[in-house]
Amino acid sequence: MARRRAGLVPSLQALAAQAGRAVQGWPWWLQATAVYFAARLVSACIFMAAALHQGPNPWLPAKPDYWNFINIWDARWYGQVIAGGYPSVLPTDAAGNVQENAWAFYPLFPALAGGLSRLTGLVPAASLTIIAMLAGWGAALVVYILFRHKAAPASALWGVAFFATFPVSAILQVPYAESLSLLLLAAALLLVVRRQYLWAIPVVVLLCLSRPVGVPFAAMLGLVLLRHLWERFGARQAGNGQREGTHSNGDLAALAALTAAGGAMALAWPAAAWAATGDIQAYTKTETVWRGHDLVPFKPWFDTGVDLFGPVLGLLAPVVFVALFGAMLFLPPVRQLGVELRLWCACYMGYLVVFLHPQTSTFRMLLPLFPLALGAVLVSGSRAYRWTVVTMFLLLQIVWIVWLWAWAQLPGGGDYPP
């Protein structure tokens, strides 16, 4: 019996090696597709297992099926947008405080799903799910192409694996706008890396209508523009012997146009809320409903730090976090991502630190930092290391789904949002 078991291990290893060689012969898009859908299958199994333990909740009876279980939380808001659009008058309570409403949810995702429902007759929940799944698949393919500009094929594919198995990556298959926004973000970053700035303009326009990422993206574009202006003009005038920048005047004009378009579109949705409701603060008032107090830049991070670590360490915690994140961007594996991707990560994290109220939804909002997945891959070429990361991501995905997606009422009412 011991001999049979001993012989079984080499046989399994040989089978795994043979399967690996077979996959390596597939075209890149099929490899990335296989990685993405394998990850989504694992996530689906975790969702179904969690649904079996789901008790009574605000949306469904206990133990819902998979399709109903993934259509809770913000998915219901997108369904409401499809059904009734956005309110022309902000809902308020008896004291005049703005209440939760649809203006917090950007229009592109429900618009596409609503169009699909009208075209096919599908119910909005099904259309939202289909759009999310297809967009997530597209994002995985574009992420691979983007990573290939910075790494070899094997490392780029591992980067897709890290992206597809990240602890909150299950959000890519539920009716949330994250997958669509990530597809557009990856496409916009790819076009910027390729210096196809004019082609990037329509992509950035759509990106700014998918989720609130327009401000950090415009900031990143502005910094890239300043860097290339300095390379072309500043360094030469300074007489420090540096060569002239690689961007022509036409390139700089196109990048400036893209930056202007990004900056304008970053304000488009708040402006639309103002135009529809007559309240210049309609969008910010709506967004801050979920945090329970007015928007004060930086302050929520220090408040959360004090709550978690006390009055002294709590005030230092956000500063230490920002310093560590900044230092990470200069580590050799991350430096291989190039200037544009590193600037995007810096601007997006800066945006979160300035405007975000740290809470359990913060984990989900880290997905736009996906370029760091390739940096994590490049830390080591060891397969043991990379498989360990994927395994840990999947285990943490169980934690995220069971802790945050599944609903369980807290003692004070409600539950932590995913």
Side-chain angles (χ1 to χ4, degrees):
M1 187 67 174
R3 289 182 179 178
R4 291 178 61 187
R5 288 179 178 175
L8 182 61
V9 174
S11 299
L12 291 175
Q13 292 175 340
L15 184 62
Q18 184 178 359
R21 287 192 295 270
V23 170
Q24 289 175 0
W26 294 356
W28 70 265
W29 60 268
L30 190 55
Q31 294 183 44
T33 295
V35 169
Y36 175 75
F37 280 104
R40 297 288 64 80
L41 179 60
V42 173
S43 297
C45 292
I46 300 171
F47 272 124
M48 287 186 282
L52 291 176
H53 299 279
Q54 176 64 70
N57 58 85
W59 307 282
L60 303 164
K63 297 184 178 180
D65 61 34
Y66 170 79
W67 300 108
N68 281 306
F69 188 53
I70 64 172
N71 274 276
I72 60 176
W73 296 103
D74 288 354
R76 296 304 177 98
W77 280 109
Y78 290 113
Q80 290 183 30
V81 172
I82 294 173
Y86 295 91
S88 58
V89 178
L90 295 178
T92 58
D93 59 16
N97 299 311
V98 173
Q99 300 298 288
E100 296 177 358
N101 67 86
W103 282 110
F105 301 91
Y106 278 53
L108 183 60
F109 182 49
L112 291 176
L116 181 61
S117 290
R118 289 188 293 273
L119 184 65
T120 62
L122 290 170
V123 297
S127 295
L128 288 164
T129 304
I130 290 172
I131 295 293
M133 278 294 293
L134 291 177
W137 178 21
L141 297 178
V142 179
V143 165
Y144 177 87
I145 299 172
L146 176 62
F147 286 176
R148 277 291 289 115
H149 281 265
K150 305 297 179 181
S155 294
L157 190 63
W158 274 105
V160 172
F162 281 20
F163 163 75
T165 58
F166 191 68
V168 296
S169 65
I171 206 72
L172 298 175
Q173 67 198 72
V174 307
Y176 272 48
E178 266 76 3
S179 55
L180 178 61
S181 183
L182 286 171
L183 168 60
L184 294 168
L185 174 60
L189 288 172
L190 175 62
L191 291 169
V192 170
V193 168
R194 288 179 169 177
R195 301 180 179 180
Q196 296 173 305
Y197 301 126
L198 295 181
W199 285 104
I201 290 177
V203 178
V204 171
V205 168
L206 295 176
L207 172 64
C208 293
L209 295 175
S210 65
R211 276 191 55 79
V213 294
V215 170
F217 199 86
M220 179 272 291
L221 290 173
L223 292 174
V224 171
L225 176 59
L226 289 175
R227 177 177 183 270
H228 288 301
L229 285 171
W230 169 253
E231 285 183 344
R232 185 162 181 82
F233 302 111
R236 182 175 55 190
Q237 292 177 1
N240 56 12
Q242 292 188 18
R243 64 183 179 85
E244 187 173 292
T246 58
H247 275 50
S248 67
N249 290 338
D251 292 333
L252 292 173
L255 178 54
L258 175 61
T259 304
M265 285 306 301
L267 303 175
W269 188 238
W274 175 18
T277 64
D279 187 340
I280 192 173
Q281 294 181 302
Y283 175 72
T284 54
K285 285 180 179 178
T286 297
E287 278 286 358
T288 54
V289 169
W290 275 267
R291 66 180 65 189
H293 54 77
D294 293 337
L295 174 64
V296 180
F298 300 106
K299 184 176 181 293
W301 286 85
F302 290 99
D303 291 342
T304 301
V306 170
D307 290 339
L308 293 176
F309 305 110
V312 178
L313 293 179
L315 294 177
L316 293 175
V319 178
V320 172
F321 170 76
V322 170
L324 290 176
F325 186 85
M328 180 196 65
L329 294 178
F330 290 92
L331 294 175
V334 181
R335 287 178 63 89
Q336 293 184 53
L337 300 181
V339 173
E340 294 89 352
L341 297 186
R342 291 164 62 217
L343 276 177
W344 160 248
C345 293
C347 290
Y348 183 71
M349 182 55 72
Y351 171 78
L352 294 183
V353 170
V354 174
F355 296 110
L356 180 69
H357 178 245
Q359 54 174 314
T360 49
S361 295
T362 303
F363 300 118
R364 170 168 55 90
M365 296 178 187
L366 297 179
L367 270 176
L369 295 171
F370 73 86
L372 296 177
L374 181 59
V377 167
L378 296 176
V379 167
S380 172
S382 165
R383 288 189 178 184
Y385 159 75
R386 293 174 176 181
W387 275 113
T388 299
V389 172
V390 168
T391 302
M392 292 187 65
F393 279 176
L394 292 175
L395 292 174
L396 289 172
Q397 197 172 131
I398 297 173
V399 174
W400 185 82
I401 291 174
V402 172
W403 174 37
L404 294 178
W405 189 264
W407 194 88
Q409 184 168 324
L410 297 171
D415 190 17
Y416 296 119

